[in-house]
Amino acid sequence: MSDIIKLLPDSVANQIAAGEVVQRPASVVKELLENSIDAGASDIKLIAKDAGRTLIQVTDNGKGMSENDARMSFERHATSKIKAAQDLFALRTMGFRGEALASIASVARVELKTRTLDNPLATEIIIEGSRLETQQPCQAPVGTTIAVKNLFFNTPARRNFLKSDNAEKTHIFNEFLRVALANPHVAFSYYHNNQLTTQSAAGNLGSRILNLYGNHYKPRLIPVEEETQVVSIQGYVLKPEFAKKSKSEQFIFVNNRYIRSPYLNHAIESGFEELIPANAYPSFFLFLEIDPAQIDVNVHPTKTEIKFQDEKTIYQIIKSAVKRSLGKFNIAPTLDFERETSFDNFRFDKSKPVTIPTIDVNPDFNPFKKESGPSAGKNLTRRTNPENWEKLFPDAKPAHREDSQERVWQSEQQNTRPAQTTISASWDEKPIASEGKKFMQLQGKYILTTIKSGLLIIDQQRAHERILFEKHMKYLTNRKVHSQTLLFPEQVKLIEGDVLLLNEIKDEISMLGFDISSFGNNSFMINAVPGELSDNENITKVLESILENFKKNSVEVKLDTHVNLARAMARSLAVKHGKALTLEEMNALTDDLFSCELPYQTPSGKPTLTILSMDDVGDKFK
Ligand code: ADP
Ligand code: MG
């Protein structure tokens, strides 16, 4: 039998490689933009037509290519960026596989014009489906223009695989966005179908973000900065209240390369712990610098995934850096940032495996530590479980177990004996029945109870505000509400301003359970009220207070109508300071508070609770 094994022709090998590198127009955009960055361009222009199907063109003012290099650049494994395999580890430029241009040229028509500074003439090369059509001198400015036309003209299966124009346009824009964010010192412009879509002058990261997202982002940005021997972090997170329903504003760059890493995302998200609800995602633009020898970026053909040698340490450092930034900017008022130690003194000895620092570093600046950290990577639930909320507060120290003597603060009725034994670990018992729990009300204002790590103090009015706020937000979102028809409808007369306001938010008000009809002459009839208001004697006053709070919020903070109304309801209906609460009420309030999405602060960001740790108590006796 004769030999049957043959080498694939280059054009076929390139097409196979193209399957990996060029999945859609956006992949071409990414490769071309990154090449321009690598060529040292300070001005890059992207032009696309028909979502990149007919044309993707990138023009840069970078260093250009000589006539020979221009031809070579289309050869497979041709790259100016790597000479030996060991360079892979020290490489900082964008691409190094030397495959992009060869791959692209195998599935499209590519027209290249390029000139270097020392050459008066430019070179023009046209290649279609890996076949060289033209190579000739031409006139062109220093730099490079590459036009990729009729992508996938010879691979119909790939062409058919493309999504709608809008979807492909979004992909293109996302790639553009990533490169633009990573290179704020480079000016960018992007035209689609002859229309200028985005333009951004050279600047710094801050100005680039404002340029791309709008100036209204300015007050939302919180800078993050952390220098350690392992990694340095720079960039911005957005204030927690601007968390999004999607992950569309989550950007991590490692050595200036955009990467996807659920693990690092989780590190950042856990830095926001408790500050954003479970179904929302924080926005961030973070840049990590890591010794290239510590990472492997070549694990994925399109190079958006990355491996770190020392994931856990990096996780902790990122989480801590985010927390500290939020703390510095006073985003988390309940939290104790003093204890957050900087990593400045953290020594990194390359010869030894890195362990997570335990002494210098206390990355948990809040006492409400839940499961978090590397092992929590798979479990992203942030919502607290009301029945087990005690578990949110872990032991400060190993507890002495003296079960029978630990009933420190029994209910007020049951026990007035002051405690002389340790307070900790008194709550390992059944967490459900209220008899097991010990509550005390202080001055009609605070609810006190013991937890393992010390004394939990809840502000009753603020806690109730949080609970009511979330409840009413749910009413407004789900449009399900308890409404109680009044036996005797109540008539109210409002001043002109309030009449206008009431008419404006009538729909929302009725979503909360009010049925109010206009009576003419600034008078209204209240026919039905929210369930929890039915035995309130002064419904008129409550309504006025809601309108009042609503107005106040509209002036002080520009709030969405739903949020504003829910806040106003919460403020108006919350139990006030001075109201005596029964044990059951204190128990229910505590449980309700911990089943909230964000139990630790009022809707306006004030703390709802605090903890006096055993150390704090001990300090008082020094
Ligand atoms: P890689 O970027 O991995 O080296 P590419 O196929 O993307 O591989 O590019 C091949 C080579 O062509 C690059 O190494 C570079 O020398 C040259 N090149 C590509 N694009 C440009 C450009 N815009 N300006 C200057 N040189 C370029
Ligand atoms: Mg490249």
Side-chain angles (χ1 to χ4, degrees), residues 57 208 244 253 301 326 411 444 451 499 508 512 560 605 612:
Q57 180 178 315
R208 177 58 43 94
K244 297 217 126 150
F253 300 85
L326 293 172
S411 67
I451 53 172
V499 174
E508 285 86 1
L512 290 174
D560 161 280
L612 210 53

Side-chain angles (χ1 to χ4, degrees), residues 401-408 417 419-422 426:
R401 309 213 39 150
E402 298 169 66
D403 286 338
S404 59
Q405 291 175 38
E406 274 179 31
R407 311 207 159 264
V408 182
R417 176 171 57 98
Q420 3 116 306
T421 48
T422 169
S426 58

